[in-house]
């Protein structure tokens, strides 16, 4: 049975950390099909927004989505993209823009089989209380802002990936690739994850 990867598109998300995730799992499906010839893909991917409406990314491009938050099931693997930040005021502004989605994460997040993110996406999970008392990581240059804002989160600023409970965090923006490989290893095995890594 296919595993559902659901990427949540939010305003000012980095487009690459949404589409890159979808690309990696689609590549994984192609490799799996060539090796195993399965009747259904190893993973299914979709992009959802808060209300099912298109979302404008940080680069100014607007992307369409496949559904809304209400379509997410507890067994889905959720992926939270990174956000384009440069200053403390950027952090405050982007965090303020998350207010419509935080109640959903606060009520549903702990029920998800796995929530993954990279870079500044860890701020959203911390803001929703999903990293309380857990280990996490974020981009090295955001680590001071993170620890000041969320002192109860055990931040490992040197880690590429951290796994704590049902939350998987990656460091810099491009670490979404490392996070995807961790997911592939967890659900498809170490050998298969290495094959995808070599292809990438």
């Amino acid at each position: 049975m296919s595993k559902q990867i659901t990427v949540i598109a939010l305003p000012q998300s980095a487009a690459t950390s949404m589409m890159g995730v979808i690309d990696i799992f689609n590549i994984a499906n192609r490799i799996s099909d060539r090796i195993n010839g399965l009747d259904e893909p190893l993973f299914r991917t979709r992009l959802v927004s808060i209300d099912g409406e298109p979302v404008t990314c940080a680069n100014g491009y607007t992307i369409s989505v496949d559904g809304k938050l209400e379509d997410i099931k507890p067994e889905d693997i959720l992926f939270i993209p990174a956000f384009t930040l440069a200053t403390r005021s950027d952090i405050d502004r982007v965090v303020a823009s998350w207010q419509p989605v935080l109640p959903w994460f606060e009520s549903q997040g702990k029920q998800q089989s796995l929530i993954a993110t990279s870079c500044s996406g860890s701020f959203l999970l911390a803001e929703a209380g999903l990293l309380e008392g857990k280990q996490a990581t974020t981009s090295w240059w955001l680590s001071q802002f993170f620890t000041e804002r969320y002192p109860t989160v055990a931040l490992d600023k040197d880690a590429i990936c951290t796994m704590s409970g049902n939350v998987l965090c990656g460091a810099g923006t491009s670490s979404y690739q490392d996070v995807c490989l961790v997911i592939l290893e967890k659900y498809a095995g170490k050998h298969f994850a290495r094959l995808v890594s070599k292809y990438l």
Side-chain angles (χ1 to χ4, degrees):
M1 184 174 177
S2 301
K3 195 69 183 170
Q4 179 67 56
I5 307 290
T6 300
V7 181
I8 300 182
L10 294 168
Q12 297 307 305
S13 297
T16 186
S17 67
M18 292 187 286
M19 292 305 172
V21 169
I22 291 171
D23 285 344
I24 287 174
F25 286 103
N26 284 337
I27 287 168
N29 284 339
R30 290 178 64 188
I31 293 172
S32 175
D33 183 58
R34 181 159 189 167
I35 294 171
N36 303 311
L38 301 177
D39 291 334
E40 60 180 355
L42 205 55
F43 299 94
R44 295 191 186 279
T45 59
R46 66 177 171 183
L47 198 59
V48 304
S49 63
I50 297 173
D51 53 8
E53 293 299 315
V55 170
T56 301
C57 303
N59 60 13
Y61 282 85
T62 299
I63 57 172
S64 59
V65 297
D66 308 304
K68 52 191 174 183
L69 284 182
E70 294 172 6
D71 300 327
I72 296 172
K73 296 180 173 59
E75 60 269 23
D76 291 4
I77 297 171
L78 297 190
F79 204 101
I80 313 305
F83 301 85
T84 302
L85 306 175
T87 64
R88 188 183 297 272
S89 61
D90 282 347
I91 294 171
D92 292 337
R93 176 179 50 78
V94 172
V95 167
S97 76
W98 294 336
Q99 297 314 304
V101 76
L102 287 179
W104 186 91
F105 277 100
E106 291 164 355
S107 65
Q108 303 296 319
K110 292 179 182 176
Q111 301 173 33
Q112 292 303 135
S113 62
L114 181 64
I115 301 178
T117 191
S118 63
C119 195
S120 51
S122 57
F123 280 74
L124 187 151
L125 298 183
E127 197 71 23
L130 297 178
L131 292 177
E132 190 79 21
K134 292 181 178 178
Q135 188 181 29
T137 192
T138 191
S139 183
W140 65 269
W141 73 271
L142 290 169
S143 60
Q144 183 177 344
F145 296 147
F146 191 96
T147 52
E148 289 173 2
R149 193 175 187 106
Y150 313 109
T152 61
V153 178
L155 186 75
D156 184 346
K157 65 180 181 180
D158 298 317
I160 297 298
C161 293
T162 59
M163 183 76 182
S164 190
N166 69 333
V167 180
L168 171 61
C169 294
T173 304
S174 62
S175 70
Y176 74 84
Q177 298 172 63
D178 301 280
V179 171
C180 289
L181 291 173
V182 171
I183 294 171
L184 285 170
E185 183 172 331
K186 179 177 173 64
Y187 291 99
K190 192 169 190 174
H191 176 68
F192 184 76
R194 284 177 64 84
L195 286 177
V196 175
S197 175
K198 287 179 179 180
Y199 182 94
L200 293 172

